């Protein structure tokens, strides 16, 4: 079977490493998408364990589609009947980028008609009730090449289930996991987020260090598909639970807003990692080392989030001054503000381009705190 996992731009390397670690063979990597090979168990294993993926798909096929006729014939040639029954639902959605076929509604209509035409010949019926299992068909057309896929995740994978209530402008869980992972969390180094908001960064860091599978407490669309029987999901969940480990890793999470801290603590409890995190109401500018070795990993307010530009500028200047007291701590800051380094008063040792949804951000990494 061919699978495709999608991710936020900038996370392809992290997602690819996860797929490799699970034992699957990558066949193609493009921006925001990795295709790999695996057996039926991969549907359960990857949905439950992939920390940086947005969705997992079954990739039925890819073909050149410069015209609607080519799109129709290419779609019709794929083995839809191996998955979709005569009573099942098969809605279509997708994207077309840098292609001659740019009208998404027209592409949806053509693909729907092509799938129905093939299924009609197989099942000898003209009309489909679509009252059964939902097989969401997704298409992706890039530079006139179409990929046709069935969504195996349903609800996006970044929705782990621990955060039903959030604060304003929450950080997506997959991006928070990436920020934490890139900071190289370690047992003897406390990880601090002084702008914790709903606590996503520290929760994801704790889950990484406990090796807690991100999808362990939720369900997936493919659990309804007979091609992926219940036994696969039971085994995958059991193995994921067995792989969890004890750790002495600690996090500190604080925010100036008491309601944020309350929500963050409740989310950590639902995620099963509250025992690894110390929560407090505090001003980020008052952050102290407390005699510990530490790493700051944070996503402070910026122009599109929560504060006006003038307030953000002043905050970043004050952060740069206040955090000089953090001695040898490493500092990682995710923001979209183009002048962060100037305002913070330091040049980052490394900058990585990431995306918070559709907002391009820079991940500024300071490895040695200068006095």
């Amino acid at each position: 079977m061919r699978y495709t996992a999608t991710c936020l731009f900038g996370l392809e390397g992290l997602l690819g490493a996860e797929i490799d670690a699970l034992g699957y063979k990558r066949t193609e990597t493009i921006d925001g998408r990795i295709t790999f090979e695996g057996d039926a168990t991969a549907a359960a294993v990857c949905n439950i364990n992939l920390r940086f993926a947005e969705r997992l798909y079954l990739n039925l096929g890819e073909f050149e589609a410069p015209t609607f006729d080519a799109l129709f014939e290419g779609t019709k040639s794929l083995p839809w009947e191996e998955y979709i029954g005569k009573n099942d639902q098969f809605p279509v959605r997708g994207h077309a980028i840098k292609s001659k076929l740019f009208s998404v509604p027209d592409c949806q209509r053509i693909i729907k008609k092509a799938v129905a035409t093939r299924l009609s010949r197989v099942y000898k019926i003209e009309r489909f009730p679509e009252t059964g299992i939902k097989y969401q068909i997704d298409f992706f057309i890039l530079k006139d090449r179409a990929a046709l896929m069935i969504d195996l995740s349903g609800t996006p994978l970044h929705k782990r289930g621990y955060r039903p209530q959030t604060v304003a402008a929450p950080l997506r869980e997959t991006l928070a996991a990436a920020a934490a992972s890139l900071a190289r969390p370690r047992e003897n180094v406390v990880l601090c987020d002084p702008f914790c908001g709903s606590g996503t960064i520290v929760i994801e860091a704790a889950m990484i260090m406990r090796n807690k599978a991100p999808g362990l407490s939720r369900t997936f669309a493919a659990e309804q598909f007979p091609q992926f029987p219940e036994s696969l999901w039971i085994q995958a969940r059991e193995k994921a639970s067995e792989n969890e480990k004890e750790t002495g890793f600690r996090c500190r999470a604080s925010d100036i807003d008491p309601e944020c801290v309350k929500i963050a603590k409740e989310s950590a409890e639902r995620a099963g990692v509250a025992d690894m995190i110390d929560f407090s109401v505090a001003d980020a500018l008052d952050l102290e080392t407390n005699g510990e070795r530490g790493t700051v990993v944070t996503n402070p307010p910026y122009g599109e989030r929560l504060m006006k530009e003038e307030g953000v500028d002043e905050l970043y200047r004050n952060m740069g001054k206040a955090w000089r007291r953090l001695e040898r701590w490493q500092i990682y800051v995710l923001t979209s503000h183009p002048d962060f380094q100037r305002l913070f008063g330091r040049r980052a040792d490394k900058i990585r381009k990431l995306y918070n949804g559709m907002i391009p951000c820079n991940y500024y990494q300071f490895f040695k705190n200068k006095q």
Side-chain angles (χ1 to χ4, degrees):
M1 291 179 168
R2 294 181 73 230
Y3 294 90
T4 293
T6 58
C7 64
L8 295 173
F9 293 150
L11 303 192
E12 296 86 357
L14 292 171
L15 176 57
E18 280 193 304
I19 291 169
D20 293 344
L22 291 173
Y24 301 113
K25 181 182 178 182
R26 283 188 272 172
T27 57
E28 183 184 36
T29 300
I30 64 173
D31 288 348
R33 191 170 67 154
I34 295 177
T35 298
F36 61 98
E37 297 175 350
D39 56 15
T41 62
V45 171
C46 292
N47 265 314
I48 291 168
N49 289 281
L50 289 180
R51 203 173 298 279
F52 306 109
E54 293 298 314
R55 287 185 186 274
L56 180 70
Y57 295 96
L58 182 67
N59 191 320
L60 262 68
E62 300 186 17
F63 52 86
E64 298 301 317
T67 67
F68 285 126
D69 284 343
L71 180 62
F72 181 88
E73 293 300 329
T75 301
K76 192 179 69 170
S77 70
L78 300 177
W80 299 103
E81 68 278 4
E82 292 182 7
Y83 299 93
I84 303 172
K86 63 182 180 180
N87 296 315
D88 294 335
Q89 305 172 58
F90 52 102
V92 179
R93 67 187 178 197
H95 304 279
I97 302 173
K98 299 179 181 178
S99 300
K100 297 182 182 68
L101 303 181
F102 57 84
S103 171
V104 169
D106 286 339
C107 291
Q108 288 176 297
R109 178 176 55 82
I110 292 295
I111 292 170
K112 181 80 173 183
K113 182 178 179 181
V115 175
T117 298
R118 180 172 179 112
L119 294 179
S120 180
R121 292 177 181 174
V122 172
Y123 295 125
K124 312 301 181 185
I125 57 176
E126 295 298 324
R127 301 181 67 85
F128 294 87
E130 295 199 54
T131 56
I133 297 170
K134 179 181 176 180
Y135 288 84
Q136 177 67 59
I137 298 172
D138 275 39
F139 67 87
F140 182 65
I141 307 175
L142 175 64
K143 297 179 180 178
D144 296 331
R145 184 167 181 80
L148 274 294
M149 303 174 286
I150 294 175
D151 181 6
L152 302 178
S153 298
T155 302
L157 295 179
H158 72 262
K159 295 188 176 181
R160 323 289 205 206
Y162 64 71
R163 199 176 69 173
Q165 183 182 9
T166 61
V167 298
L171 187 66
R172 191 172 293 192
E173 292 89 334
T174 42
L175 183 55
S181 179
L182 292 169
R184 298 177 296 114
R186 301 176 294 286
E187 288 258 348
N188 58 343
V189 179
V190 64
L191 187 147
C192 297
D193 183 359
F195 296 97
C196 75
S198 56
T200 316
I201 289 176
V202 291
I203 291 171
E204 291 293 330
M207 291 175 70
I208 288 170
M209 293 301 288
R210 183 162 278 174
N211 201 32
K212 187 176 181 67
L216 196 57
S217 300
R218 53 159 289 181
T219 59
F220 308 94
E223 292 188 66
Q224 302 299 314
F225 301 173
Q227 298 83 4
F228 305 100
E230 183 182 9
S231 59
L232 298 183
W233 302 90
I234 293 173
Q235 292 168 10
R237 287 191 171 95
E238 287 178 347
K239 185 172 181 180
S241 295
E242 291 170 0
N243 287 339
E244 288 187 27
K245 62 184 182 182
E246 293 299 320
T247 174
F249 177 72
R250 301 293 306 173
C251 294
R252 283 161 51 187
S254 59
D255 200 285
I256 202 167
D257 185 345
E259 184 62 21
C260 285
V261 176
K262 177 177 178 291
I263 291 172
K265 188 172 183 180
E266 291 172 351
S267 295
E269 289 170 351
R270 281 188 290 267
V273 294
D275 60 310
M276 300 170 65
I277 306 168
D278 299 320
F279 293 95
S280 64
V281 178
D283 189 324
L285 303 181
D286 295 332
L287 182 62
E288 299 282 354
T289 67
N290 293 346
E292 299 175 296
R293 291 182 60 198
T295 300
V296 174
V297 183
T298 194
N299 175 223
Y302 47 86
E304 291 88 349
R305 301 175 69 250
L306 305 177
M307 292 181 72
K308 293 182 178 180
E309 187 173 341
E310 316 84 68
V312 170
D313 289 359
E314 182 180 2
L315 173 64
Y316 288 177
R317 290 191 188 95
N318 291 335
M319 283 166 52
K321 295 172 183 175
W323 290 359
R324 288 172 188 159
R325 72 170 75 96
L326 298 181
E327 300 170 353
R328 297 181 182 276
W329 281 33
Q330 294 185 346
I331 298 173
Y332 296 75
V333 179
L334 179 69
T335 176
S336 70
H337 199 299
D339 292 325
F340 172 76
Q341 291 181 102
R342 178 181 63 81
L343 295 167
F344 193 65
R346 289 175 54 192
R347 184 176 295 276
D349 296 298
K350 186 175 182 180
I351 304 173
R352 184 164 181 150
K353 178 71 74 175
L354 298 173
Y355 283 77
N356 187 7
M358 295 304 295
I359 301 173
C361 299
N362 284 320
Y363 193 42
Y364 298 95
Q365 303 170 55
F366 303 90
F367 301 138
K368 293 182 179 179
N369 200 358
K370 299 176 179 62
Q371 300 300 303

